[in-house]
Amino acid sequence: MKKRKRTGKRDAKLYLRLFMATFYLSAFTFGGGYVIITLMQKKFVEEYHWIDEEEMFDLTAIAQSAPGPIAVNGAIVAGYKLAGLPGVLLSVAGAVLPPFFIISLVSVFYQAFRDNRVISLMLEGMQAGVGAVIAAVVLEMIHTLFRGKGRIDSAVIMAGAFLANVVFHIGAVYIFLICIAYGVLKALWEKGRARI
C-alpha cells in the first residue's frame, strides 16, 4: 500500500479529518471489530474516497491477520497509507480514546449498569443488531472478493478454511499459517513466471 503524498496546509486538514473519522467510527461502533469494517468502508471508501474498494479489502485482511483489536489495526494501516507515521499516531489515538473513556465511565458505575433492567434489555437488543451488521460485512467481503478475475483460488481457500475449522476442528492458527504459506508460494511462483 503506497502512502499518499502530502503538502503544506493540507496536512493539518487531513490530520484533523483522519483523527475525527477514526474517533467517530470508534465512538459509535458497538459489537467489536467486524462491525467497524463496514463503517470504515462507508467513511473511507464511499464518503472521503481516501481508499478504493480493493485497498479496503486488503486493509481488512491485514487488520484481521495482525494481532490486536481489528479497529486499532485498521486505523494503523489506514493512517499510514494516508499520512505516514503522524497518520498512524492520530488514527490510533482516535480509535483508542472513545473506548477508553466509555470503559472508564462504565467501570465507575458498573454496579448500577449491571443491575439496571433497561440497560440489560438494551444490550440484548444490540446483540441482534450486531449479528445483522456482521452478516452484512461478510456478504460485502464475499461480493468484493469475487468481483475480480482469477478469484477461484480465493473461493477454494475460503471454503477449505471453513471446512477445516468447522468440520475437521483444525485450529485457526494452523489454517492461518497454511494460508500464509500458500500466499508466499503463489507470489514466488508468479514472480518466477514473470522472469521467464
Side-chain angles (χ1 to χ4, degrees), residues 157-180:
I157 291 170
M158 186 172 65
F162 178 79
L163 289 173
N165 187 260
V166 173
V167 176
F168 300 107
H169 306 291
I170 296 173
V173 173
Y174 297 113
I175 295 169
F176 181 67
L177 292 173
I178 291 167
C179 290
I180 288 174

Side-chain angles (χ1 to χ4, degrees), residues 125-193:
M126 286 171 63
Q127 287 176 358
V130 166
V133 172
I134 290 174
V137 170
V138 169
L139 292 173
E140 183 64 33
M141 288 175 70
I142 290 171
H143 178 70
T144 304
L145 180 67
F146 297 120
R147 190 174 297 165
K149 293 181 180 178
R151 299 292 188 170
I152 297 209
D153 60 337
S154 297
V156 171
I157 291 170
M158 186 172 65
F162 178 79
L163 289 173
N165 187 260
V166 173
V167 176
F168 300 107
H169 306 291
I170 296 173
V173 173
Y174 297 113
I175 295 169
F176 181 67
L177 292 173
I178 291 167
C179 290
I180 288 174
Y182 171 78
V184 169
L185 291 173
K186 183 179 176 185
L188 291 173
W189 184 68
E190 287 179 356
K191 192 175 182 181
R193 279 184 62 193

Side-chain angles (χ1 to χ4, degrees), residues 49-64:
H49 306 288
W50 284 341
I51 299 172
D52 62 34
E53 274 194 49
E54 191 66 30
E55 284 180 313
M56 187 65 203
F57 191 69
D58 293 340
L59 184 150
T60 303
I62 293 168
Q64 290 174 327

